[in-house]
mmCIF file of all heavy atoms in Angstrom:
data_model
loop_
_atom_site.group_PDB
_atom_site.id
_atom_site.type_symbol
_atom_site.label_atom_id
_atom_site.label_comp_id
_atom_site.label_asym_id
_atom_site.label_seq_id
_atom_site.Cartn_x
_atom_site.Cartn_y
_atom_site.Cartn_z
ATOM 1 N N LYS A 8 -203.621 -38.421 5.585
ATOM 2 C CA LYS A 8 -202.723 -37.486 4.918
ATOM 3 C C LYS A 8 -201.290 -38.030 5.041
ATOM 4 O O LYS A 8 -200.790 -38.222 6.237
ATOM 5 C CB LYS A 8 -202.827 -36.059 5.460
ATOM 6 C CG LYS A 8 -202.020 -35.012 4.555
ATOM 7 C CD LYS A 8 -202.532 -33.684 4.787
ATOM 8 C CE LYS A 8 -202.005 -32.756 3.746
ATOM 9 N NZ LYS A 8 -202.446 -31.355 3.888
ATOM 10 N N ILE A 9 -200.649 -38.307 3.953
ATOM 11 C CA ILE A 9 -199.378 -38.978 3.910
ATOM 12 C C ILE A 9 -198.316 -38.160 3.179
ATOM 13 O O ILE A 9 -198.530 -37.614 2.160
ATOM 14 C CB ILE A 9 -199.580 -40.347 3.339
ATOM 15 C CG1 ILE A 9 -200.524 -41.167 4.138
ATOM 16 C CG2 ILE A 9 -198.262 -41.012 3.224
ATOM 17 C CD1 ILE A 9 -200.949 -42.508 3.555
ATOM 18 N N LEU A 10 -197.070 -38.219 3.755
ATOM 19 C CA LEU A 10 -195.924 -37.655 3.046
ATOM 20 C C LEU A 10 -195.059 -38.822 2.471
ATOM 21 O O LEU A 10 -194.784 -39.759 3.309
ATOM 22 C CB LEU A 10 -195.050 -36.784 4.037
ATOM 23 C CG LEU A 10 -193.688 -36.389 3.435
ATOM 24 C CD1 LEU A 10 -193.869 -35.418 2.319
ATOM 25 C CD2 LEU A 10 -192.829 -35.713 4.535
ATOM 26 N N VAL A 11 -194.705 -38.742 1.237
ATOM 27 C CA VAL A 11 -193.704 -39.709 0.738
ATOM 28 C C VAL A 11 -192.495 -38.873 0.226
ATOM 29 O O VAL A 11 -192.568 -38.046 -0.571
ATOM 30 C CB VAL A 11 -194.345 -40.432 -0.492
ATOM 31 C CG1 VAL A 11 -193.270 -41.364 -1.149
ATOM 32 C CG2 VAL A 11 -195.550 -41.301 -0.049
ATOM 33 N N THR A 12 -191.406 -39.233 0.861
ATOM 34 C CA THR A 12 -190.150 -38.618 0.386
ATOM 35 C C THR A 12 -189.457 -39.557 -0.582
ATOM 36 O O THR A 12 -189.774 -40.702 -0.627
ATOM 37 C CB THR A 12 -189.134 -38.379 1.577
ATOM 38 O OG1 THR A 12 -188.633 -39.624 2.013
ATOM 39 C CG2 THR A 12 -189.821 -37.676 2.723
ATOM 40 N N GLY A 13 -188.553 -39.034 -1.434
ATOM 41 C CA GLY A 13 -188.030 -39.809 -2.511
ATOM 42 C C GLY A 13 -189.088 -40.298 -3.487
ATOM 43 O O GLY A 13 -189.050 -41.378 -4.072
ATOM 44 N N ALA A 14 -190.099 -39.411 -3.616
ATOM 45 C CA ALA A 14 -191.313 -39.842 -4.318
ATOM 46 C C ALA A 14 -191.132 -40.020 -5.879
ATOM 47 O O ALA A 14 -191.961 -40.618 -6.474
ATOM 48 C CB ALA A 14 -192.347 -38.712 -4.145
ATOM 49 N N ALA A 15 -189.978 -39.512 -6.394
ATOM 50 C CA ALA A 15 -189.778 -39.665 -7.822
ATOM 51 C C ALA A 15 -188.800 -40.830 -8.104
ATOM 52 O O ALA A 15 -188.255 -40.871 -9.203
ATOM 53 C CB ALA A 15 -189.245 -38.394 -8.398
ATOM 54 N N GLY A 16 -188.641 -41.703 -7.174
ATOM 55 C CA GLY A 16 -187.721 -42.855 -7.344
ATOM 56 C C GLY A 16 -188.549 -44.074 -7.767
ATOM 57 O O GLY A 16 -189.778 -44.050 -7.825
ATOM 58 N N PHE A 17 -187.951 -45.117 -8.030
ATOM 59 C CA PHE A 17 -188.514 -46.411 -8.401
ATOM 60 C C PHE A 17 -189.502 -46.858 -7.420
ATOM 61 O O PHE A 17 -190.677 -47.175 -7.813
ATOM 62 C CB PHE A 17 -187.364 -47.463 -8.619
ATOM 63 C CG PHE A 17 -187.769 -48.866 -8.565
ATOM 64 C CD1 PHE A 17 -188.814 -49.324 -9.347
ATOM 65 C CD2 PHE A 17 -187.029 -49.767 -7.815
ATOM 66 C CE1 PHE A 17 -189.246 -50.666 -9.295
ATOM 67 C CE2 PHE A 17 -187.427 -51.128 -7.817
ATOM 68 C CZ PHE A 17 -188.525 -51.580 -8.499
ATOM 69 N N ILE A 18 -189.259 -46.893 -6.109
ATOM 70 C CA ILE A 18 -190.142 -47.331 -5.173
ATOM 71 C C ILE A 18 -191.123 -46.258 -4.644
ATOM 72 O O ILE A 18 -192.327 -46.448 -4.509
ATOM 73 C CB ILE A 18 -189.371 -47.915 -3.858
ATOM 74 C CG1 ILE A 18 -188.498 -49.089 -4.347
ATOM 75 C CG2 ILE A 18 -190.253 -48.258 -2.729
ATOM 76 C CD1 ILE A 18 -187.537 -49.513 -3.218
ATOM 77 N N GLY A 19 -190.613 -45.018 -4.505
ATOM 78 C CA GLY A 19 -191.470 -43.922 -4.040
ATOM 79 C C GLY A 19 -192.519 -43.587 -4.928
ATOM 80 O O GLY A 19 -193.704 -43.398 -4.513
ATOM 81 N N GLY A 20 -192.299 -43.622 -6.241
ATOM 82 C CA GLY A 20 -193.325 -43.353 -7.189
ATOM 83 C C GLY A 20 -194.437 -44.349 -7.237
ATOM 84 O O GLY A 20 -195.642 -44.050 -7.304
ATOM 85 N N GLN A 21 -194.100 -45.596 -7.149
ATOM 86 C CA GLN A 21 -195.131 -46.705 -7.065
ATOM 87 C C GLN A 21 -195.862 -46.690 -5.855
ATOM 88 O O GLN A 21 -197.046 -47.007 -5.786
ATOM 89 C CB GLN A 21 -194.516 -48.051 -7.429
ATOM 90 C CG GLN A 21 -193.916 -48.058 -8.812
ATOM 91 C CD GLN A 21 -193.540 -49.460 -9.283
ATOM 92 O OE1 GLN A 21 -194.412 -50.300 -9.444
ATOM 93 N NE2 GLN A 21 -192.335 -49.755 -9.502
ATOM 94 N N LEU A 22 -195.200 -46.319 -4.682
ATOM 95 C CA LEU A 22 -195.950 -46.261 -3.433
ATOM 96 C C LEU A 22 -196.924 -45.030 -3.540
ATOM 97 O O LEU A 22 -198.106 -45.244 -3.044
ATOM 98 C CB LEU A 22 -194.901 -46.028 -2.321
ATOM 99 C CG LEU A 22 -195.534 -45.747 -0.958
ATOM 100 C CD1 LEU A 22 -196.371 -46.854 -0.411
ATOM 101 C CD2 LEU A 22 -194.394 -45.338 0.103
ATOM 102 N N TRP A 23 -196.507 -43.954 -4.040
ATOM 103 C CA TRP A 23 -197.444 -42.751 -4.213
ATOM 104 C C TRP A 23 -198.643 -43.196 -5.012
ATOM 105 O O TRP A 23 -199.783 -42.954 -4.668
ATOM 106 C CB TRP A 23 -196.659 -41.728 -4.869
ATOM 107 C CG TRP A 23 -197.444 -40.352 -4.915
ATOM 108 C CD1 TRP A 23 -198.744 -40.102 -4.601
ATOM 109 C CD2 TRP A 23 -196.888 -39.056 -5.311
ATOM 110 N NE1 TRP A 23 -199.074 -38.803 -4.752
ATOM 111 C CE2 TRP A 23 -197.977 -38.187 -5.211
ATOM 112 C CE3 TRP A 23 -195.635 -38.687 -5.740
ATOM 113 C CZ2 TRP A 23 -197.794 -36.775 -5.527
ATOM 114 C CZ3 TRP A 23 -195.446 -37.339 -6.097
ATOM 115 C CH2 TRP A 23 -196.517 -36.410 -5.948
ATOM 116 N N HIS A 24 -198.413 -43.890 -6.127
ATOM 117 C CA HIS A 24 -199.496 -44.301 -7.017
ATOM 118 C C HIS A 24 -200.500 -45.126 -6.264
ATOM 119 O O HIS A 24 -201.763 -45.135 -6.386
ATOM 120 C CB HIS A 24 -198.881 -44.944 -8.239
ATOM 121 C CG HIS A 24 -199.917 -45.383 -9.221
ATOM 122 N ND1 HIS A 24 -200.098 -46.666 -9.832
ATOM 123 C CD2 HIS A 24 -200.954 -44.676 -9.845
ATOM 124 C CE1 HIS A 24 -201.038 -46.692 -10.636
ATOM 125 N NE2 HIS A 24 -201.594 -45.523 -10.705
ATOM 126 N N THR A 25 -199.992 -46.153 -5.488
ATOM 127 C CA THR A 25 -200.795 -47.078 -4.733
ATOM 128 C C THR A 25 -201.685 -46.380 -3.652
ATOM 129 O O THR A 25 -202.863 -46.593 -3.543
ATOM 130 C CB THR A 25 -199.911 -48.156 -4.100
ATOM 131 O OG1 THR A 25 -199.179 -48.867 -5.088
ATOM 132 C CG2 THR A 25 -200.807 -49.097 -3.281
ATOM 133 N N LEU A 26 -201.012 -45.457 -2.946
ATOM 134 C CA LEU A 26 -201.757 -44.653 -1.961
ATOM 135 C C LEU A 26 -202.841 -43.756 -2.632
ATOM 136 O O LEU A 26 -203.926 -43.672 -2.118
ATOM 137 C CB LEU A 26 -200.750 -43.771 -1.160
ATOM 138 C CG LEU A 26 -199.787 -44.542 -0.327
ATOM 139 C CD1 LEU A 26 -198.690 -43.612 0.178
ATOM 140 C CD2 LEU A 26 -200.444 -45.229 0.882
ATOM 141 N N TRP A 27 -202.504 -43.203 -3.787
ATOM 142 C CA TRP A 27 -203.423 -42.370 -4.498
ATOM 143 C C TRP A 27 -204.660 -43.140 -4.902
ATOM 144 O O TRP A 27 -205.819 -42.720 -4.813
ATOM 145 C CB TRP A 27 -202.745 -41.763 -5.623
ATOM 146 C CG TRP A 27 -203.636 -40.969 -6.606
ATOM 147 C CD1 TRP A 27 -204.125 -39.719 -6.469
ATOM 148 C CD2 TRP A 27 -204.157 -41.418 -7.884
ATOM 149 N NE1 TRP A 27 -204.904 -39.377 -7.524
ATOM 150 C CE2 TRP A 27 -205.009 -40.373 -8.450
ATOM 151 C CE3 TRP A 27 -203.982 -42.669 -8.596
ATOM 152 C CZ2 TRP A 27 -205.594 -40.535 -9.610
ATOM 153 C CZ3 TRP A 27 -204.681 -42.801 -9.816
ATOM 154 C CH2 TRP A 27 -205.411 -41.788 -10.392
ATOM 155 N N LYS A 28 -204.354 -44.381 -5.431
ATOM 156 C CA LYS A 28 -205.530 -45.257 -5.875
ATOM 157 C C LYS A 28 -206.346 -45.639 -4.692
ATOM 158 O O LYS A 28 -207.572 -45.869 -4.853
ATOM 159 C CB LYS A 28 -204.963 -46.500 -6.600
ATOM 160 C CG LYS A 28 -204.413 -46.199 -8.006
ATOM 161 C CD LYS A 28 -204.111 -47.496 -8.707
ATOM 162 C CE LYS A 28 -203.202 -48.351 -8.037
ATOM 163 N NZ LYS A 28 -202.903 -49.607 -8.903
ATOM 164 N N ARG A 29 -205.739 -45.744 -3.582
ATOM 165 C CA ARG A 29 -206.533 -46.148 -2.318
ATOM 166 C C ARG A 29 -207.347 -44.924 -1.818
ATOM 167 O O ARG A 29 -208.291 -45.123 -0.959
ATOM 168 C CB ARG A 29 -205.531 -46.556 -1.262
ATOM 169 C CG ARG A 29 -206.227 -47.298 -0.156
ATOM 170 C CD ARG A 29 -205.209 -47.865 0.847
ATOM 171 N NE ARG A 29 -204.523 -46.812 1.622
ATOM 172 C CZ ARG A 29 -203.782 -47.075 2.694
ATOM 173 N NH1 ARG A 29 -203.536 -48.271 3.078
ATOM 174 N NH2 ARG A 29 -203.214 -46.076 3.323
ATOM 175 N N GLY A 30 -207.088 -43.688 -2.235
ATOM 176 C CA GLY A 30 -207.844 -42.543 -1.845
ATOM 177 C C GLY A 30 -207.248 -41.648 -0.791
ATOM 178 O O GLY A 30 -207.842 -40.806 -0.277
ATOM 179 N N ASP A 31 -205.938 -41.975 -0.457
ATOM 180 C CA ASP A 31 -205.261 -41.170 0.528
ATOM 181 C C ASP A 31 -204.806 -39.810 -0.140
ATOM 182 O O ASP A 31 -204.630 -39.700 -1.296
ATOM 183 C CB ASP A 31 -204.005 -41.923 1.091
ATOM 184 C CG ASP A 31 -204.364 -43.120 1.813
ATOM 185 O OD1 ASP A 31 -205.047 -43.027 2.821
ATOM 186 O OD2 ASP A 31 -203.893 -44.228 1.504
ATOM 187 N N GLU A 32 -204.700 -38.797 0.793
ATOM 188 C CA GLU A 32 -204.167 -37.554 0.362
ATOM 189 C C GLU A 32 -202.702 -37.545 0.484
ATOM 190 O O GLU A 32 -202.154 -37.656 1.625
ATOM 191 C CB GLU A 32 -204.808 -36.366 1.217
ATOM 192 C CG GLU A 32 -204.365 -35.032 0.809
ATOM 193 C CD GLU A 32 -204.917 -33.953 1.628
ATOM 194 O OE1 GLU A 32 -205.753 -34.212 2.487
ATOM 195 O OE2 GLU A 32 -204.580 -32.713 1.449
ATOM 196 N N VAL A 33 -201.937 -37.437 -0.566
ATOM 197 C CA VAL A 33 -200.517 -37.678 -0.502
ATOM 198 C C VAL A 33 -199.735 -36.409 -0.958
ATOM 199 O O VAL A 33 -200.096 -35.802 -1.980
ATOM 200 C CB VAL A 33 -200.110 -38.899 -1.459
ATOM 201 C CG1 VAL A 33 -198.554 -39.069 -1.360
ATOM 202 C CG2 VAL A 33 -200.915 -40.088 -1.010
ATOM 203 N N VAL A 34 -198.652 -36.103 -0.261
ATOM 204 C CA VAL A 34 -197.699 -35.059 -0.707
ATOM 205 C C VAL A 34 -196.412 -35.821 -1.002
ATOM 206 O O VAL A 34 -195.950 -36.555 -0.195
ATOM 207 C CB VAL A 34 -197.489 -33.957 0.373
ATOM 208 C CG1 VAL A 34 -196.367 -33.048 -0.030
ATOM 209 C CG2 VAL A 34 -198.778 -33.160 0.667
ATOM 210 N N GLY A 35 -195.864 -35.611 -2.180
ATOM 211 C CA GLY A 35 -194.671 -36.279 -2.621
ATOM 212 C C GLY A 35 -193.626 -35.289 -2.826
ATOM 213 O O GLY A 35 -193.819 -34.241 -3.378
ATOM 214 N N ILE A 36 -192.364 -35.548 -2.225
ATOM 215 C CA ILE A 36 -191.220 -34.577 -2.318
ATOM 216 C C ILE A 36 -190.036 -35.397 -2.819
ATOM 217 O O ILE A 36 -189.889 -36.577 -2.544
ATOM 218 C CB ILE A 36 -190.895 -33.902 -1.029
ATOM 219 C CG1 ILE A 36 -190.394 -34.759 0.006
ATOM 220 C CG2 ILE A 36 -192.177 -33.024 -0.527
ATOM 221 C CD1 ILE A 36 -189.870 -34.060 1.315
ATOM 222 N N ASP A 37 -189.150 -34.664 -3.537
ATOM 223 C CA ASP A 37 -187.912 -35.309 -4.033
ATOM 224 C C ASP A 37 -186.985 -34.172 -4.414
ATOM 225 O O ASP A 37 -187.419 -33.113 -4.997
ATOM 226 C CB ASP A 37 -188.244 -36.141 -5.230
ATOM 227 C CG ASP A 37 -187.162 -37.195 -5.608
ATOM 228 O OD1 ASP A 37 -186.032 -36.781 -5.789
ATOM 229 O OD2 ASP A 37 -187.479 -38.364 -5.466
ATOM 230 N N ASN A 38 -185.697 -34.278 -4.203
ATOM 231 C CA ASN A 38 -184.758 -33.259 -4.663
ATOM 232 C C ASN A 38 -184.175 -33.661 -6.092
ATOM 233 O O ASN A 38 -183.385 -32.841 -6.565
ATOM 234 C CB ASN A 38 -183.628 -33.090 -3.669
ATOM 235 C CG ASN A 38 -182.644 -34.250 -3.559
ATOM 236 O OD1 ASN A 38 -182.885 -35.294 -4.230
ATOM 237 N ND2 ASN A 38 -181.516 -34.089 -2.887
ATOM 238 N N PHE A 39 -184.586 -34.766 -6.673
ATOM 239 C CA PHE A 39 -184.166 -35.132 -7.971
ATOM 240 C C PHE A 39 -182.663 -35.365 -8.159
ATOM 241 O O PHE A 39 -182.203 -35.274 -9.229
ATOM 242 C CB PHE A 39 -184.733 -34.210 -9.051
ATOM 243 C CG PHE A 39 -186.180 -34.332 -9.173
ATOM 244 C CD1 PHE A 39 -187.106 -33.569 -8.432
ATOM 245 C CD2 PHE A 39 -186.784 -35.186 -10.075
ATOM 246 C CE1 PHE A 39 -188.465 -33.720 -8.517
ATOM 247 C CE2 PHE A 39 -188.189 -35.407 -10.215
ATOM 248 C CZ PHE A 39 -188.985 -34.590 -9.453
ATOM 249 N N SER A 40 -182.009 -35.661 -7.094
ATOM 250 C CA SER A 40 -180.580 -36.060 -7.318
ATOM 251 C C SER A 40 -180.532 -37.473 -7.900
ATOM 252 O O SER A 40 -179.617 -37.902 -8.718
ATOM 253 C CB SER A 40 -179.888 -36.085 -5.943
ATOM 254 O OG SER A 40 -180.466 -36.855 -5.006
ATOM 255 N N TYR A 41 -181.483 -38.353 -7.604
ATOM 256 C CA TYR A 41 -181.660 -39.651 -8.211
ATOM 257 C C TYR A 41 -183.078 -39.859 -8.824
ATOM 258 O O TYR A 41 -183.252 -40.626 -9.721
ATOM 259 C CB TYR A 41 -181.458 -40.726 -7.200
ATOM 260 C CG TYR A 41 -179.991 -40.831 -6.706
ATOM 261 C CD1 TYR A 41 -179.649 -40.121 -5.626
ATOM 262 C CD2 TYR A 41 -179.057 -41.675 -7.372
ATOM 263 C CE1 TYR A 41 -178.291 -40.141 -5.183
ATOM 264 C CE2 TYR A 41 -177.764 -41.673 -6.849
ATOM 265 C CZ TYR A 41 -177.378 -40.923 -5.798
ATOM 266 O OH TYR A 41 -176.074 -41.052 -5.392
ATOM 267 N N GLY A 42 -184.008 -39.178 -8.327
ATOM 268 C CA GLY A 42 -185.448 -39.307 -8.874
ATOM 269 C C GLY A 42 -185.535 -38.779 -10.279
ATOM 270 O O GLY A 42 -184.773 -38.036 -10.801
ATOM 271 N N ASN A 43 -186.666 -39.145 -10.896
ATOM 272 C CA ASN A 43 -186.892 -38.781 -12.287
ATOM 273 C C ASN A 43 -188.422 -38.644 -12.482
ATOM 274 O O ASN A 43 -189.235 -39.440 -11.983
ATOM 275 C CB ASN A 43 -186.359 -39.838 -13.214
ATOM 276 C CG ASN A 43 -186.321 -39.286 -14.650
ATOM 277 O OD1 ASN A 43 -187.267 -39.113 -15.327
ATOM 278 N ND2 ASN A 43 -185.096 -39.073 -15.153
ATOM 279 N N LEU A 44 -188.851 -37.608 -13.138
ATOM 280 C CA LEU A 44 -190.275 -37.428 -13.412
ATOM 281 C C LEU A 44 -190.898 -38.509 -14.073
ATOM 282 O O LEU A 44 -192.101 -38.865 -13.992
ATOM 283 C CB LEU A 44 -190.489 -36.123 -14.201
ATOM 284 C CG LEU A 44 -190.392 -34.802 -13.420
ATOM 285 C CD1 LEU A 44 -190.549 -33.583 -14.352
ATOM 286 C CD2 LEU A 44 -191.353 -34.785 -12.315
#
């Protein structure tokens, strides 16, 4: 079980996607000051 902060950023989003493809349970959080859906 993994937390990714800044999950809607350039790096955070791709990290989340990689972890998801690997089968990890991921929670992603972002305050969207820089992140984007």
Side-chain angles (χ1 to χ4, degrees):
K8 192 160 192 179
I9 298 173
L10 171 67
V11 176
T12 73
F17 160 48
I18 298 171
Q21 296 196 65
L22 174 61
W23 188 352
H24 184 230
T25 301
L26 294 168
W27 173 80
K28 289 193 297 183
R29 195 176 70 170
D31 293 305
E32 183 180 356
V33 182
V34 173
I36 67 171
D37 202 298
N38 72 352
F39 288 90
S40 58
Y41 292 88
N43 195 290
L44 285 175

